[in-house]
Amino acid sequence: MGYYSGQAHPSTALEWIGDARPEWLRLRYMKNGAGLFEVGEEAYLHWFDGLALLKQFDIGDEITYRSEFLDSEDYVTSTKREKISFTEFATVPDRSALERLWCTINPNAQFGDNDSINLQVVDGEVLAIGDLPSGLEVAPDTLGTGRKVPLEKLLLMTSTPHPQRDEARKTWYNTGIGASWKGFGYHVFGVKDGSHRPDPVAFIPRMTPAYMHSVGMTSRYVVVGEHPMFASLPKFFTLGLRNQPVVNAFDWKGDHPLTLYIVDKDEKRVAAKVEAPAIFYFHHTNVFENGEDVVIDLCTYPDDRVIRELYLSNLRGPKGGNTTPAKLLRHRVNMKTKKVTVEPLTDRSVEFPRMNPGHMYGDYRFTYAVSINPAITNDHSNMLVKVDVATGETKSWFEEGCYPNEPFMVPRPGATAEDDGVVLCVVLDAKVKSSILLVLDAHSFTEIGRALVPAVIPFGLHGQAGPLNGFHRHDALRSDTDGDGAA
Ligand SMILES: [Fe+2]
């Protein structure tokens, strides 16, 4: 039931069950993700296609919940017409020959602004973001949708929904597929605070660019991982004419390797290009420098089959959304020898990883993620896991009939231990057909308590948090780890 349409929900105080919440735990937690899978009689096909539903939890003296659909042009047009109106990842509208011709002349016309994947705080604005180089402003107090914020200049066709924050340089780094005078390839760019203009860092020419969901970063480098799910440019540029969804422009070519481009931010060049056995991935748990090495921890799949497993027909099917487990692999690249080694960090499935924000981009111990109970594998992701990446030891949270979303680690203000804090997680409790906001102690990984939501919240994608009434403050939780206080 987590893959069916949800609803806008007015702000409601939630019943809390459990121990007393930590006094310091006062914050606003917001999540993005697909939440509407039908318009009129028409239905989207893939989990990634659904129209964005914003969710918000305010955790103070009480916990309140509200949700609101993102008022994108895509949402407004499609719901008003009761017809799917824009090309999504795996769904296309029913288009006339004239409309196909228009989409061929003006390819941007086929894509909407359903920014359903993540949230980013840029220059005091909260933006809903997706795979395109723009975002939609969201008012954190009302969840109202504001103006469209495009990335100007670079000829970008895509940008990943996981930009990385370099606090020292006051810059967001990202990559995307685009064009330059060198042809097509990956633009690596930074966007400084106060500017929506990407500063080019490097351009990596690739006439068959790969699908890319995220980018990695350390203090010195940006890491672009090219797995062999390659775009065919002829297919890409005729999507409009053929009225095909985005996913159909890509083909898995498993006889090609994973190629890691390690780009020096200051020298603005590719400092290393290394190859490793082919894998597919969406997310990094973390990337960091360790002596001569760049360490890249990825939640990996053997191939791109997970893309097909995320069609709603499978997720809602008799197997209950059974998907391939994600394997946490460490790729260690020696920057002098350009040698790469690969090792698994745990035998548990690890996806939707989050960690202490104050330890990102550095050596770290713990990642918190969605997993699959090894005893109940013929199921949707049904467990939360805490992995010690140094030892491979794991702790888990499991309750029969409960299905967790991406967790979110909140460090205790003033904490020195990396796992001193709590882990928040929106969990669907299928037994009672409603969702909860679960609060775990990050160290013991045991439940402190849960807030009961009087609704089913569709499975979401990514979330961010900030102080109550100040969500828009940059990097607020990270500075809290230095003892600034949370609220
Ligand atoms: Fe993601």
Side-chain angles (χ1 to χ4, degrees):
M1 64 190 76
Y3 293 109
Y4 290 85
S5 295
Q7 292 178 330
H9 202 284
S11 182
T12 305
L14 304 184
E15 181 185 351
W16 171 259
I17 296 176
D19 297 338
R21 294 190 298 277
E23 288 281 323
W24 56 266
L25 184 61
R26 301 175 68 83
L27 54 80
R28 172 168 284 169
Y29 178 42
M30 288 174 66
K31 282 179 70 71
N32 202 348
L36 185 64
F37 297 102
E38 301 85 24
V39 284
E41 299 290 310
E42 299 187 353
Y44 295 93
L45 302 178
H46 196 277
W47 187 33
F48 294 170
D49 294 338
L51 298 169
L53 180 66
L54 301 165
K55 284 80 64 175
Q56 183 185 81
F57 293 89
D58 279 354
I59 305 175
D61 294 335
E62 59 181 8
I63 299 179
T64 60
Y65 167 75
R66 81 162 84 188
S67 63
E68 196 66 61
F69 288 104
L70 182 71
D71 264 334
S72 62
E73 183 191 357
D74 200 334
Y75 173 82
V76 172
T77 306
S78 298
T79 53
K80 193 171 173 186
R81 293 176 65 213
E82 297 192 331
K83 288 175 73 70
I84 293 169
S85 301
F86 293 95
T87 294
E88 306 292 349
F89 180 72
T91 305
V92 284
D94 185 15
R95 286 193 173 106
S96 67
L98 198 62
E99 287 170 329
R100 292 183 188 203
L101 187 63
W102 173 239
C103 291
T104 306
I105 297 166
N106 180 16
N108 286 340
Q110 66 196 302
F111 305 115
D113 52 355
N114 178 31
D115 291 319
S116 62
I117 302 177
N118 204 349
L119 297 160
Q120 181 188 12
V121 182
V122 180
D123 294 330
E125 294 173 343
V126 179
L127 301 181
I129 59 174
D131 290 313
L132 298 179
S134 63
L136 281 173
E137 188 183 356
V138 173
D141 290 336
T142 62
L143 295 186
T145 304
R147 66 193 177 99
K148 188 171 184 171
V149 181
L151 282 177
E152 297 158 359
K153 293 287 179 187
L154 289 182
L155 292 170
L156 280 167
M157 296 188 293
T158 67
S159 63
T160 86
H162 288 277
Q164 300 297 326
R165 175 70 182 169
D166 186 328
E167 195 56 35
R169 292 174 175 82
K170 301 292 180 198
T171 298
W172 287 96
Y173 285 93
N174 205 347
T175 189
I177 297 171
S180 86
W181 61 271
K182 294 177 181 174
F184 284 91
Y186 311 120
H187 282 288
V188 179
F189 57 91
V191 183
K192 282 197 166 60
D193 289 358
S195 167
H196 292 299
R197 220 175 78 173
D199 294 322
V201 177
F203 181 76
I204 302 167
R206 296 291 285 146
M207 288 310 284
T208 55
Y211 171 79
M212 210 169 282
H213 180 76
S214 62
V215 67
M217 194 182 79
T218 72
S219 56
R220 181 172 175 184
Y221 302 110
V222 174
V223 177
V224 177
E226 178 192 69
H227 50 199
M229 184 178 166
F230 292 119
S232 153
L233 289 183
K235 284 185 182 175
F236 197 85
F237 285 110
T238 57
L239 287 176
L241 185 65
R242 297 180 299 117
N243 204 33
Q244 292 291 308
V246 175
V247 68
N248 287 4
F250 293 90
D251 293 303
W252 178 257
K253 297 188 175 171
D255 53 338
H256 289 253
L258 166 73
T259 304
L260 297 164
Y261 296 92
I262 300 177
V263 177
D264 191 304
K265 292 183 215 171
D266 293 329
E267 295 180 5
K268 297 184 183 294
R269 66 182 183 90
V270 176
K273 175 190 172 188
V274 299
E275 294 180 350
I279 45 101
F280 178 87
Y281 72 93
F282 293 113
H283 300 120
H284 309 73
T285 58
N286 193 25
V287 182
F288 61 96
E289 295 158 44
N290 186 323
E292 293 178 354
D293 296 342
V294 173
V295 182
I296 304 157
D297 292 347
L298 301 170
C299 303
T300 69
Y301 301 88
D303 53 37
D304 68 337
R305 83 187 72 163
V306 65
I307 293 272
R308 293 183 292 284
E309 292 168 343
L310 295 176
Y311 275 87
L312 294 165
S313 56
N314 178 56
L315 295 172
R316 296 168 177 169
K319 285 186 175 179
N322 196 8
T323 55
T324 303
K327 195 174 198 176
L328 179 54
L329 291 183
R330 170 161 291 180
H331 290 67
R332 183 182 287 273
V333 180
N334 185 290
M335 295 300 287
K336 281 205 170 149
T337 64
K338 306 295 190 283
K339 291 267 186 348
V340 55
T341 58
V342 185
E343 61 170 329
L345 296 181
T346 173
D347 58 358
R348 294 298 174 92
S349 174
V350 173
E351 186 51 284
F352 286 105
R354 296 299 289 249
M355 60 177 289
N356 184 322
H359 289 251
M360 282 178 72
Y361 316 124
D363 203 351
Y364 73 117
R365 286 286 297 273
F366 304 110
T367 187
Y368 310 88
V370 173
S371 188
I372 300 172
N373 188 331
I376 311 173
T377 55
N378 190 23
D379 197 5
H380 180 66
S381 299
N382 54 10
M383 195 170 79
L384 283 168
V385 70
K386 172 189 178 184
V387 180
D388 183 336
V389 297
T391 65
E393 290 172 14
T394 58
K395 291 178 179 173
S396 57
W397 178 89
F398 172 79
E399 186 174 302
E400 195 174 345
C402 284
Y403 298 94
N405 287 220
E406 176 191 67
F408 189 89
M409 197 277 174
V410 186
R412 183 179 64 79
T416 52
E418 185 183 325
D419 61 349
D420 186 352
V422 303
V423 173
L424 307 177
C425 188
V426 176
V427 177
L428 170 63
D429 185 347
K431 302 186 297 297
V432 293
K433 296 186 172 60
S434 62
S435 297
I436 59 174
L437 178 69
L438 180 70
V439 182
L440 301 179
D441 176 83
H443 176 70
S444 64
F445 219 52
T446 55
E447 180 172 342
I448 295 171
R450 60 183 69 187
L452 309 182
V453 180
V456 170
I457 303 175
F459 291 128
L461 289 168
H462 303 296
Q464 310 295 343
L468 285 167
N469 305 318
F471 183 87
H472 51 279
R473 207 180 90 216
H474 263 320
D475 211 30
L477 288 177
R478 189 177 313 186
S479 62
D480 287 339
T481 64
D482 298 330
D484 287 359

